[in-house]
Amino acid sequence: MAGSRLPRQLFLQGVAAVFMFAFASLYMQIPGLYGPEGILPARRTLRPQGKGRWPQLWETPTLLWETPLLGLDTAQGLELLSLLGTLLALGALLLHQLRHLLVYLLLWAAYLSAYQVGQVFLYFQWDSLLLETGFLALLVAPLRLPPRHKQAQGRLAGVLPHEDLPFWLVRWLLFRLMFASGVVKLTSRCPAWWGLTALTYHFETQCLPTPASWFAHHLPVWLHKLGVVATFLIEIAVPPLFFAPVRRLRLAAFYSQVLLQVLIIVTGNYNFFNLLTLVLTTALLDDAHLAAEPGNSRRKKTPTSWPKALLALLALLLELAVYGLLAYGVVHCFGLEVDWEQHTVHSKTTFTFHQFSQWLKMVTLPTMWLGAASLAWELLTALWRWTQVRGWLQKFCAAVQLSIFGTATVALFLISLVPYSYMEPSTHGRLWTGAHRLFGTVEHLQLAHSYGLFRRMTGLGGRPEVVLEGSYDGHHWTEIEFMYKPGNVSRAPPIVAPHQPRLDWQMWFAALGPHTHSPWFTSLVLRLLQGKEPVIRLIQNHTPRYPFHKQPPTYVRAQRYKYRFSKPGEQGQWWRRQWVEEFFPSVSLGDPTLDTLLGQFGLQDKSPPRARSSSSTLAQALRWMRKQLSPLEAPALLWGLLGTVGAIRVMQALLGPQSSPRAKGEKHRLAPPEDSVATSKQTSPAPDVSRGSQTPRRKK
């Protein structure tokens, strides 16, 4: 397998970018979600239980336990962590010196701290995925960065024996994410997925559509069905190719995953989730594919020995066999038939739920063994590289690092098998008990999760939508429109990614059932009746657009509607809607119904927040920063950060040190002839790692 120096650098930069988006997006919503006047105040989640400091920190691992020492409340501590996380991630994205293990440890710890108090608004699968990816990033990040002036020698210098081991876990995580996401669509018995009609509903019923969703929704039904077939192919059949011994198969798997994620980004606002998935796909790349040096294509091909030619032929035959098997499987399992007269492709599911369950039971354990075999190969490769290290001191240091990172890699692999096996109960029961115990010990650290996105298709009869209304007299009602979720039928769906408006997302989930299934909704109604500005800014950041910005409404209620995309030709309308039922009854402050619900869900403020000293310099700085940023909408802030990164990268490229002709001449003199390079590759296929921990890395 080719080197992974450049993909690792790309992965670390990508993780930093996602952390930057996640922290900045969360920061803009903290006062309304978790502040003292927010929907679910964070201070309620951290109540000392009389335990010691370290047992308390181990049971609920969050740095927010220490905020009282800084004179801050829990929400202010969360703001501080989010700001520091944003700045630290921005620095790691721009400066190679900050792509260090300690930096990614701080990013992971800060997001884990927020996750512990985030409650329902932070319990999304992509939050779990970011935590798991962030922990892998701190293992992938180097312990010691090479000097800047040695970066160009990356190919000539060797790599540390252990470097590829943690990066392999990224590939395994990508496999678990994609394979499980495809499998659960069928194990859920959802009729839309089994009937291949899921995409005829998906674009309309997803949480936050984009303008492109309207156009995708009106594509022909046969194309929607073909899209579902392609989804099953990419999510179920392709992921095993992540571990293929043939490089071109892994690259084909990479581009198929990229295609799927780009299409999802275009047709849906899924915050940073798809960007994070694209970051994970870097584990399928190698240095040779990313380097793309012009000189490589013009080099003369040297004659190869017959064993290498035979291996190349066998690899080509294997590649063709895999493509042929995939094509046959798709045609056979989904009954693809081309109708040349109507220019369509007919498709239908030709297997039963029982057959699929038996197939899943048969392949789940082998996929675990596939991962174990791939990991064993990586371990053997790392061990072989260690044997090439010269010098007893360097060899000893490399052995210590290899032991530590090798043990951590094997342990994380065993831990991940437990949530991965959830999708097949019988395999989960046969799993080694040691893996279960290990997973139970560290489960609260969010090191491994089970995944399964879009398990069931909702809103088959039209997307349910909750519309809040306010009134001063109880007779004349005014709708309260949100910034991002559907409301006004004449307003186009916005583009908000990579920001995640967490209240809008939870409103989508709340519409799927009664309001009692979403206790936080009662608290939202209370805050609107009280006219709390932090919560109002979650609904309309520009407060004059909020219909009750001058005086809070006396009454608030909620109605449930069915929304559907408008048909082509309906001018000025993006949606059509139909009233269904009352979602939440009309209530006012002091209403017995409201008080009963608040007491039932434990949302009453029994103990008011303790007053903190307003003279604290840190608290004043946080308030000043909030005042400066509050007029901005969160998507504008995130896109501004992205634009800043792009502008700085352009300036770095334009003003960076240029290599002089003399330096170029020295570089050519230092470079060995091509024949000697080819000879050395044949006699010593592994890189020299005699420099131990001081081995320089090649920066992308």
Side-chain angles (χ1 to χ4, degrees):
M1 296 180 63
S4 61
R5 187 187 305 273
L6 293 179
R8 288 200 306 271
Q9 288 295 322
L10 190 60
F11 168 74
L12 292 175
Q13 293 179 66
V15 172
V18 174
F19 266 124
M20 180 185 70
F21 291 139
F23 278 119
S25 174
L26 179 62
Y27 171 80
M28 299 298 289
Q29 305 173 76
I30 288 174
L33 294 179
Y34 306 117
E37 298 179 342
I39 299 174
L40 296 176
R43 61 184 174 83
R44 298 174 181 169
T45 61
L46 294 182
R47 300 186 184 276
Q49 303 296 327
K51 301 179 180 179
R53 183 177 186 178
W54 294 110
Q56 180 178 262
L57 184 62
W58 173 255
E59 184 176 328
T60 307
T62 174
L63 299 174
L64 296 174
W65 287 114
E66 309 302 323
T67 53
L69 300 178
L70 302 175
L72 306 175
D73 60 28
T74 306
Q76 289 175 323
L78 191 55
E79 288 189 17
L80 179 62
L81 281 180
S82 299
L83 282 174
L84 293 178
T86 302
L87 294 176
L88 199 59
L90 177 62
L93 183 59
L94 293 174
L95 302 174
H96 83 287
Q97 295 91 340
L98 290 180
R99 292 179 209 129
H100 188 271
L101 182 149
L102 180 60
V103 171
Y104 287 93
L105 175 61
L106 293 175
L107 290 173
W108 174 78
Y111 205 76
L112 179 63
S113 300
Y115 181 87
Q116 296 296 329
V117 302
Q119 305 166 79
V120 68
F121 292 108
L122 217 60
Y123 289 171
F124 293 94
Q125 288 197 44
W126 34 85
D127 294 310
S128 301
L129 181 64
L130 179 55
L131 283 172
E132 186 170 354
T133 307
F135 190 80
L136 297 184
L138 72 90
L139 295 178
V140 173
L143 286 168
R144 180 178 179 181
L145 290 170
R148 179 79 176 182
H149 67 276
K150 293 186 179 181
Q151 288 292 314
Q153 301 176 6
R155 281 188 306 166
L156 298 179
V159 295
L160 294 174
H162 72 270
E163 285 185 340
D164 284 340
L165 290 178
F167 198 49
W168 177 90
L169 287 171
V170 178
R171 193 188 316 174
W172 172 244
L173 172 58
L174 178 65
F175 170 79
R176 287 165 40 219
L177 171 67
M178 301 310 301
F179 188 72
S181 296
V183 164
V184 298
K185 292 177 175 59
L186 294 174
T187 56
S188 67
R189 300 196 184 196
C190 175
W193 286 113
W194 278 91
L196 306 182
T197 58
L199 291 184
T200 61
Y201 308 104
H202 166 73
F203 300 113
E204 181 181 69
T205 62
Q206 61 184 319
C207 179
L208 296 178
T210 65
S213 304
W214 187 93
F215 297 96
H217 176 73
H218 292 293
L219 291 173
V221 174
W222 70 267
L223 198 55
H224 284 158
K225 287 189 172 184
L226 203 60
V228 174
V229 173
T231 301
F232 285 137
L233 171 66
I234 294 174
E235 291 187 345
I236 298 179
V238 170
L241 299 182
F242 297 169
F243 308 104
V246 180
R247 177 172 174 267
R248 286 192 298 266
L249 287 176
R250 297 195 302 273
L251 292 178
F254 164 78
Y255 283 108
S256 67
Q257 303 302 317
V258 169
L259 174 64
L260 176 63
Q261 299 307 318
V262 169
L263 291 176
I264 296 176
I265 290 173
V266 171
T267 58
N269 287 294
Y270 289 96
N271 49 82
F272 57 79
F273 164 63
N274 304 108
L275 298 177
L276 182 55
T277 307
L278 287 174
V279 171
L280 294 178
T281 61
T282 57
L284 303 177
L285 298 175
D286 53 49
D287 289 341
H289 191 68
L290 289 178
E293 296 181 3
N296 291 343
S297 59
R298 294 192 297 266
R299 288 180 180 174
K300 296 180 180 180
K301 295 183 178 180
T302 57
T304 58
S305 60
W306 70 265
K308 289 187 175 181
L310 179 60
L311 285 177
L313 178 60
L314 292 177
L316 178 60
L317 293 177
L318 176 61
E319 186 178 359
L320 295 176
V322 168
Y323 293 146
L325 184 61
L326 289 176
Y328 171 78
V330 169
V331 173
H332 176 73
C333 293
F334 298 102
L336 298 185
E337 294 181 0
V338 179
D339 189 334
W340 299 104
E341 294 182 358
Q342 298 183 1
H343 303 287
T344 61
V345 178
H346 299 291
S347 56
K348 62 180 180 179
T349 307
T350 61
F351 53 92
T352 64
F353 178 78
H354 175 72
Q355 290 174 326
F356 179 76
S357 299
Q358 292 299 117
W359 175 84
L360 182 61
K361 186 181 299 184
M362 181 178 64
V363 303
T364 302
L365 195 57
T367 58
M368 295 181 183
W369 284 112
L370 174 65
S374 179
L375 176 56
W377 175 259
E378 293 289 341
L379 289 169
L380 290 174
T381 303
L383 187 61
W384 187 89
R385 285 175 176 168
W386 174 78
T387 62
Q388 306 304 304
V389 177
R390 300 174 184 174
W392 67 269
L393 181 59
Q394 290 83 355
K395 207 177 193 70
F396 174 76
C397 293
V400 172
Q401 295 182 53
L402 179 57
S403 301
I404 295 174
F405 282 91
T407 302
T409 301
V410 173
L412 287 173
F413 173 71
L414 290 175
I415 291 171
S416 69
L417 294 179
V418 177
Y420 172 68
S421 63
Y422 287 159
M423 63 183 180
E424 212 292 295
S426 63
T427 303
H428 179 73
R430 298 199 308 268
L431 205 59
W432 180 45
T433 56
H436 286 282
R437 288 196 300 269
L438 192 59
F439 175 75
T441 303
V442 299
E443 184 177 5
H444 64 293
L445 297 178
Q446 313 300 321
L447 301 184
H449 302 267
S450 60
Y451 301 100
L453 299 167
F454 308 109
R455 185 185 303 266
R456 296 188 64 88
M457 198 54 56
T458 59
L460 300 186
R463 67 174 292 143
E465 200 67 60
V466 172
V467 176
L468 280 163
E469 297 176 339
S471 172
Y472 291 118
D473 56 11
H475 299 287
H476 302 87
W477 296 89
T478 302
E479 292 188 4
I480 299 175
E481 186 175 356
F482 284 64
M483 286 185 289
Y484 308 117
K485 83 180 193 68
N488 186 347
V489 296
S490 301
R491 186 171 61 112
I495 298 177
V496 300
H499 170 59
Q500 180 184 0
R502 295 182 181 270
L503 177 58
D504 295 63
W505 267 87
Q506 285 299 336
M507 289 288 290
W508 181 81
F509 283 106
L512 301 178
H515 71 85
T516 53
H517 290 178
S518 304
W520 59 267
F521 190 85
T522 304
S523 182
L524 170 64
V525 171
L526 173 65
R527 296 310 190 196
L528 294 180
L529 289 170
Q530 295 172 339
K532 300 300 183 182
E533 183 179 349
V535 176
I536 292 174
R537 284 189 174 275
L538 294 177
I539 297 174
Q540 285 292 341
N541 190 63
H542 188 52
T543 50
R545 296 178 183 173
Y546 180 68
F548 302 99
H549 65 279
K550 294 182 178 179
Q551 180 182 350
T554 307
Y555 303 93
V556 170
R557 70 181 185 185
Q559 308 288 342
R560 195 196 316 262
Y561 286 84
K562 290 284 188 180
Y563 274 66
R564 292 180 175 86
F565 272 138
S566 62
K567 295 182 178 179
E570 296 183 23
Q571 298 294 330
Q573 281 196 335
W574 287 84
W575 298 96
R576 293 175 296 153
R577 74 177 189 179
Q578 180 182 3
W579 181 85
V580 177
E581 60 182 350
E582 183 181 69
F583 179 78
F584 193 90
S586 173
V587 295
S588 60
L589 289 176
D591 190 297
T593 301
L594 179 61
D595 292 340
T596 300
L597 289 172
L598 291 172
Q600 177 183 346
F601 300 135
L603 297 173
Q604 290 176 324
D605 285 327
K606 298 179 181 179
S607 57
R610 292 178 293 176
R612 299 282 180 189
S613 174
S614 59
S615 61
S616 168
T617 304
L618 186 55
Q620 290 179 359
L622 289 173
R623 284 194 292 271
W624 180 85
M625 181 63 69
R626 174 66 60 184
K627 184 178 180 180
Q628 303 305 312
L629 295 178
S630 59
L632 292 175
E633 289 192 13
L637 174 63
L638 267 63
W639 284 107
L641 287 172
L642 184 60
T644 301
V645 171
I648 294 177
R649 282 296 179 87
V650 170
M651 294 298 293
Q652 288 176 338
L654 294 177
L655 303 179
Q658 303 271 337
S659 57
S660 63
R662 179 181 177 182
K664 291 182 179 179
E666 292 178 356
K667 180 179 179 182
H668 286 300
R669 286 196 299 270
L670 290 173
E674 291 184 6
D675 294 340
S676 62
V677 172
T679 305
S680 64
K681 287 183 178 179
Q682 293 179 11
T683 58
S684 180
D688 179 16
V689 289
S690 59
R691 293 181 176 237
S693 61
Q694 298 183 5
T695 301
R697 293 170 177 268
R698 183 168 184 259
K699 184 176 181 297
K700 181 178 180 294

